[in-house]
Amino acid sequence: MEIQSIIHKKTVKVSIIFFAIFFAVYLGILLFFSNHFYYGSVINGINVSGKTVDQVDKEISMKSQTYTLEFKERNGVKEQIKGTDISLKYKTKSKIQVLKDSQNSFAWIFAIFSTKDYEMDGIVTYDEKLLKEHFDKLSCFDSKKIIQPKNASFKYADTGYLIVNEVIGNKINSKLLYTKVVSAILKGETSIDLEKENYYINPKYTSKSKEVLATKILLDKYTASKITYTFTGGKEVLDGSTIHNWIDVNKNLEIIFDQNKMQNYIEELDNNYNTFGKQRDFVTSLGTTVKVSGGDYGWLVNPTVEVNDLIVAIKNGQVITKQPKYSQTAASHNVNDIGNTYVEINIARQHLWFYKNGSLVVQGDVVTGNVSINDGTPTGVYRLKYKEKDATLIGEGYSVPVAEFMPFNGGIGIHPATWRNKFGGNIYLTNGSHGCINSPPSLAKTIYDNIDVNTAIVCY
């Protein structure tokens, strides 16, 4: 019993001594942290562990003299903006003291197992104008050194399209970077890696992008098209060597057709082969050959419709033989597109012939437009626009009913002239029509009964 009592007393004595020492150490550390920051404390990137307010204030203030913000750019280029360049100053003591006072000294033991990273606003001042000047003077913004980023593009070759590699360039998103610079200065950060932090403006599409590869497939499909146009006297082959000049790829990799270029191509093609209004060598009923030009008869391509047809064919990669879409056709694709059905009017002879399928149906003298008052019938090759029974011809100062009317040039047409008892000769020189072809009733009727719309009317 006596031994146990002795052991108990010693144990109590040791415990008291231990707690006394622990309490003394605790109080000592408490007193230390009453005016020092906990270990693991960081203010705006500066380690302030175990430092007093004065020490921290001095260290932060000194930083304004040595602060440098470094820019790590592409190709190993580095640039700097120094604190002295922008009149950088730290005014921190009062705020540091407030921050220190918010630290509970009695809780120091818990702080050992954690870190405190403080962000203090308003402790840094700088000259905004100087910062902007130095920022704008960075060599990465020198227009002579800037290489614009460029998407992967396409180049046409005989074997198809080639993908041209993208241009990475070195253009920077200046607004985004400037915002980061201000933030870095306020936080005391000393480095910005432009590549890692994505401040460069990069191409949207590279040569490996699936969108680029898909567009190349389409381009190759389009230029593999082959359209063979057939015309009188020859043919024209349209293939990738021409088609590639009509297509372009926009920034969104959409394939665009230049319809103006396409229409120019069609019009040039049409000029080589159309006969609309062109001069013709016409063999007359008298056996002579005359040149007749003007009028509205002949083959004429509709470029707008044909361009739309072409786009569809190209998009489908078609290999086809076709005629263009015509807005107007003629009787034949031969050199003589008039064919062998036509009305022939010889103004000098004041005579008319009507041939159908190569056979003369009817002929006779007529009276054409009055030359003396500039109402002469215009020469040229025209199309019969329509036929009308029991028409009324209305003009300045007259209204005349006719049994048949066959207009071919505006209001000018072939019709019977029952008020005349003579035709042919020189009547037209002083007493001609207002431009129409005045015919004997039987002649007009025979023509009307046998002629079809769009038949050629040749006036010479």
Side-chain angles (χ1 to χ4, degrees):
M1 291 290 294
E2 189 173 333
I3 293 172
Q4 289 179 343
S5 176
I6 293 171
I7 292 172
H8 175 72
K9 288 179 180 179
K10 286 184 177 181
T11 301
V12 171
K13 185 176 181 181
V14 169
S15 297
I16 292 172
I17 293 171
F18 173 79
F19 282 110
I21 293 171
F22 174 80
F23 187 67
V25 171
Y26 176 82
L27 286 176
I29 296 175
L30 185 150
L31 290 172
F32 178 80
F33 284 119
S34 66
N35 55 14
H36 291 76
F37 282 96
Y38 288 147
Y39 289 107
S41 298
V42 177
I43 301 176
N44 288 29
I46 298 174
N47 188 347
V48 298
S49 300
K51 295 177 181 178
T52 64
V53 170
D54 287 338
Q55 289 173 326
V56 172
D57 179 60
K58 184 177 181 181
E59 184 172 343
I60 292 178
S61 297
M62 287 180 63
K63 191 175 181 180
S64 66
Q65 301 300 315
T66 59
Y67 177 79
T68 299
L69 178 58
E70 184 177 72
F71 300 85
K72 296 178 181 179
E73 302 168 16
R74 281 178 177 164
N75 301 318
V77 177
K78 293 183 179 180
E79 297 189 77
Q80 297 177 339
I81 292 179
K82 296 181 179 180
T84 52
D85 293 334
I86 58 174
S87 298
L88 184 70
K89 292 182 177 59
Y90 287 82
K91 296 181 180 180
T92 60
K93 189 167 184 178
S94 60
K95 292 194 175 186
I96 293 172
Q97 185 64 60
V98 171
L99 185 61
K100 173 62 194 70
D101 292 343
S102 68
Q103 178 180 290
N104 184 353
S105 301
F106 291 96
W108 66 265
I109 194 167
F110 300 107
I112 295 174
F113 305 103
S114 64
T115 58
K116 286 287 186 180
D117 197 343
Y118 299 103
E119 291 288 342
M120 293 177 60
D121 296 327
I123 67 171
V124 175
T125 63
Y126 60 90
D127 189 313
E128 292 185 7
K129 184 178 179 182
L130 288 175
L131 175 60
K132 190 68 172 65
E133 287 178 0
H134 281 81
F135 179 82
D136 290 341
K137 287 179 181 178
L138 291 171
S139 65
C140 59
F141 297 122
D142 186 344
S143 60
K144 295 179 180 178
K145 297 179 180 179
I146 292 177
I147 300 173
Q148 296 287 344
K150 188 177 179 182
N151 288 332
S153 56
F154 306 91
K155 181 180 180 181
Y156 180 74
D158 293 339
T159 55
Y161 274 89
L162 304 174
I163 296 176
V164 179
N165 287 335
E166 67 279 0
V167 176
I168 298 299
N170 58 6
K171 188 174 183 180
I172 294 167
N173 188 326
S174 59
K175 290 183 179 180
L176 198 62
L177 180 58
Y178 186 79
T179 300
K180 172 62 179 178
V181 167
V182 171
S183 173
I185 291 171
L186 295 177
K187 292 180 180 180
E189 297 173 3
T190 58
S191 177
I192 301 176
D193 190 320
L194 276 64
E195 188 76 81
K196 287 184 179 180
E197 299 181 44
N198 296 319
Y199 290 109
Y200 284 102
I201 300 174
N202 292 315
K204 183 177 180 180
Y205 300 108
T206 71
S207 60
K208 305 299 181 185
S209 298
K210 62 180 182 180
E211 296 89 347
V212 170
L213 300 176
T215 299
K216 180 186 181 303
I217 291 173
L218 278 181
L219 289 170
D220 287 338
K221 177 183 177 181
Y222 291 178
T223 51
S225 304
K226 186 176 180 181
I227 293 95
T228 302
Y229 283 108
T230 57
F231 294 92
T232 302
K235 63 181 181 179
E236 293 286 341
V237 178
L238 170 64
D239 57 21
S241 62
T242 300
I243 293 170
H244 84 275
N245 294 313
W246 300 344
I247 55 181
D248 197 7
V249 180
N250 67 15
K251 63 181 181 180
N252 296 318
L253 295 185
E254 297 168 328
I255 299 177
I256 307 299
F257 285 83
D258 190 327
Q259 296 193 31
N260 288 329
K261 287 183 178 179
M262 295 180 73
Q263 187 157 322
N264 289 339
Y265 170 84
I266 296 300
E267 288 174 352
E268 287 178 11
L269 203 63
D270 190 31
N271 285 335
N272 291 331
Y273 296 99
N274 82 73
T275 58
F276 180 87
K278 285 190 173 181
Q279 179 174 280
R280 295 170 174 81
D281 288 331
F282 179 74
V283 179
T284 72
S285 296
L286 301 178
T288 60
T289 299
V290 296
K291 295 185 180 298
V292 184
S293 60
D296 60 5
Y297 183 86
W299 294 94
L300 183 64
V301 172
N302 186 325
T304 302
V305 174
E306 183 56 31
V307 164
N308 291 334
D309 271 17
L310 261 185
I311 290 175
V312 172
I314 291 169
K315 284 186 174 181
N316 290 324
Q318 292 182 342
V319 178
I320 55 174
T321 297
K322 73 187 294 285
Q323 288 189 2
K325 285 293 190 297
Y326 289 102
S327 58
Q328 180 176 302
T329 60
S332 169
H333 260 310
N334 295 324
V335 174
N336 172 24
D337 66 335
I338 294 171
N340 56 11
T341 298
Y342 57 89
V343 173
E344 174 187 349
I345 301 168
N346 185 324
I347 295 174
R349 292 294 185 104
Q350 291 290 284
H351 199 80
L352 176 153
W353 296 263
F354 174 39
Y355 295 90
K356 188 167 186 177
N357 298 323
S359 298
L360 180 64
V361 175
V362 69
Q363 65 170 312
D365 288 340
V366 294
V367 176
T368 61
N370 191 335
V371 174
S372 66
I373 57 174
N374 294 321
D375 276 345
T377 301
T379 60
V381 183
Y382 302 89
R383 294 178 300 114
L384 180 63
K385 302 304 185 292
Y386 60 89
K387 302 192 301 180
E388 184 180 0
K389 276 280 191 184
D390 300 321
T392 300
L393 307 181
I394 299 174
E396 187 176 344
Y398 68 90
S399 176
V400 181
V402 294
E404 299 91 13
F405 184 50
M406 294 161 276
F408 59 84
N409 179 12
I412 296 174
I414 303 168
H415 63 78
T418 54
W419 55 90
R420 292 186 184 275
N421 53 22
K422 286 186 179 182
F423 296 88
N426 294 324
I427 299 171
Y428 78 105
L429 295 176
T430 57
N431 190 28
S433 70
H434 292 90
C436 284
I437 312 302
N438 287 180
S439 306
S442 61
L443 177 62
K445 185 177 187 308
T446 302
I447 296 172
Y448 186 93
D449 290 342
N450 291 277
I451 200 167
D452 296 318
V453 173
N454 291 324
T455 296
I457 312 294
V458 184
C459 298
Y460 63 91

